[in-house]
C-alpha cells in the first residue's frame, strides 16, 4: 500500500516531531534546514499511518538496518516497507514482500548528469522525450527504487541497474509535474 504527502508545509512541525520515535526524531533533527526535517518526519508519519491501517500496529516503529543501510522494523521482519522524500513530497510503501520506492523533484535537465548515470539507450530515450527533465527523473527513480528494493543503495554501476531487471515498476508523475515517484516490487 502506498502513502503520499505532497503538502509538506501544511503540518505543525513541532507536533509532528513529538509523534516520532526518539530514533527518528534524532534523525530528523540532524537536517540543517526545516524542509529536510519536515520531509523526514512526514515519511515516518506515513509509515506509522500505514502500519496502523494495514497491520493494526499503533506503536512507533524503531528501525534496525541491514548491511547497506536498508531499514526494517524491529520485531516485525514480515513487514516490508520503504520510504523516500524530496522537496515536494514524502512517500512510504508497505508490502508483504521486499519493496523499494523513490521520489524525486523534477529539476533542470543536465546533460552531464544524464550521461554519467544513464546507458546509451536511456540517454536516447530521454533526449527524444517531449520532457527530457521528467524522462530523466522517471528513469532515475526507477534505478533508485531497484537499489532500495535490493538494499544495495546507489552503486557505481548506475548505467546498468535496469538491464535485465525482473522487477515490476509503477511510476507516477505528479499532476503538476513537480515530482515523480516509482515503486519497485
Amino acid at each position: 500500500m502506498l502513502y503520499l504527502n505532497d503538502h509538506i508545509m501544511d503540518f505543525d512541525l513541532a507536533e509532528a516531531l513529538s509523534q516520532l520515535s526518539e530514533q527518528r526524531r534524532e534523525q530528523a533533527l540532524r537536517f540543517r534546514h526545516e524542509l529536510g526535517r519536515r520531509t523526514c518526519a512526514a515519511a515516518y508519519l506515513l509509515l506509522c499511518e500505514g502500519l496502523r491501517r494495514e497491520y493494526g500496529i499503533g506503536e512507533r516503529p524503531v528501525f534496525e538496518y541491514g548491511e547497506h543501510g536498508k531499514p526494517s522494523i524491529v520485531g516485525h521482519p514480515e513487514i516490508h516497507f520503504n520510504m523516500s522524500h524530496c522537496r515536494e513530497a514524502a512517500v512510504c510503501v508497505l508490502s508483504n514482500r521486499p519493496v523499494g520506492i523513490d521520489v524525486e523533484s523534477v529539476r533542470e535537465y543536465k546533460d552531464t548528469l544524464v550521461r554519467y548515470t544513464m546507458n546509451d539507450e536511456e540517454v536516447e530515450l530521454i533526449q527524444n522525450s517531449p520532457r527530457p527533465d521528467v524522462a530523466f527523473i522517471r528513469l532515475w527513480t526507477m534505478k533508485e527504487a531497484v537499489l532500495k528494493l535490493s538494499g544495495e543503495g546507489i552503486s557505481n554501476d548506475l548505467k546498468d541497474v535496469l538491464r535485465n531487471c525482473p522487477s515490476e515498476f509503477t511510476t507516477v508523475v505528479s499532476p503538476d509535474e513537480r515530482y515523480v515517484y516509482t515503486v519497485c516490487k
Side-chain angles (χ1 to χ4, degrees), residues 32-47:
R32 287 183 4 177
H33 301 286
E34 179 183 339
L35 183 59
R37 292 175 179 180
R38 284 182 169 280
T39 57
C40 182
Y44 182 85
L45 292 175
L46 291 172
L47 173 62

Side-chain angles (χ1 to χ4, degrees), residues 18 38 53 56 101 103 130 141:
S18 74
R38 284 182 169 280
R53 287 185 180 192
I101 192 167
V103 63
T141 62

Side-chain angles (χ1 to χ4, degrees), residues 26-177:
E26 288 174 3
Q27 184 178 3
L29 291 173
R30 282 196 289 270
F31 284 91
R32 287 183 4 177
H33 301 286
E34 179 183 339
L35 183 59
R37 292 175 179 180
R38 284 182 169 280
T39 57
C40 182
Y44 182 85
L45 292 175
L46 291 172
L47 173 62
C48 291
E49 179 183 350
L51 290 172
R52 204 171 33 256
R53 287 185 180 192
E54 307 298 322
Y55 299 95
I57 297 172
E59 67 263 11
R60 298 171 185 164
V62 174
F63 303 143
E64 55 190 358
Y65 296 90
E67 178 183 350
H68 299 287
K70 184 172 182 169
S72 60
I73 300 170
V74 172
H76 292 283
E78 75 284 5
I79 300 173
H80 299 275
F81 76 98
N82 205 231
M83 302 180 293
S84 184
H85 50 82
C86 66
R87 289 186 315 264
E88 285 75 27
V91 292
C92 177
V93 64
L94 292 100
S95 180
N96 61 358
R97 63 183 193 179
V99 64
I101 192 167
D102 186 46
V103 63
E104 298 288 338
S105 303
V106 174
R107 53 191 174 270
E108 179 184 348
Y109 176 86
K110 294 186 179 177
D111 191 61
T112 54
L113 181 60
V114 169
R115 293 188 181 284
Y116 181 74
T117 58
M118 303 290 158
N119 63 45
D120 292 340
E121 295 85 21
E122 293 165 341
V123 170
E124 185 177 342
L125 181 71
I126 291 166
Q127 290 177 338
N128 290 330
S129 168
R131 288 287 311 269
D133 54 344
V134 174
F136 168 72
I137 295 300
R138 181 180 167 278
L139 285 167
W140 177 263
T141 62
M142 290 173 69
K143 290 179 183 222
E144 197 159 334
V146 165
L147 295 170
K148 290 175 76 177
L149 167 84
S150 70
E152 295 175 35
I154 295 179
S155 67
N156 293 331
D157 195 15
L158 288 172
K159 292 184 178 189
D160 292 326
V161 168
L162 298 178
R163 288 185 203 244
N164 304 316
C165 181
S167 300
E168 300 171 29
F169 296 99
T170 302
T171 300
V172 175
V173 178
S174 67
D176 56 9
E177 297 185 332

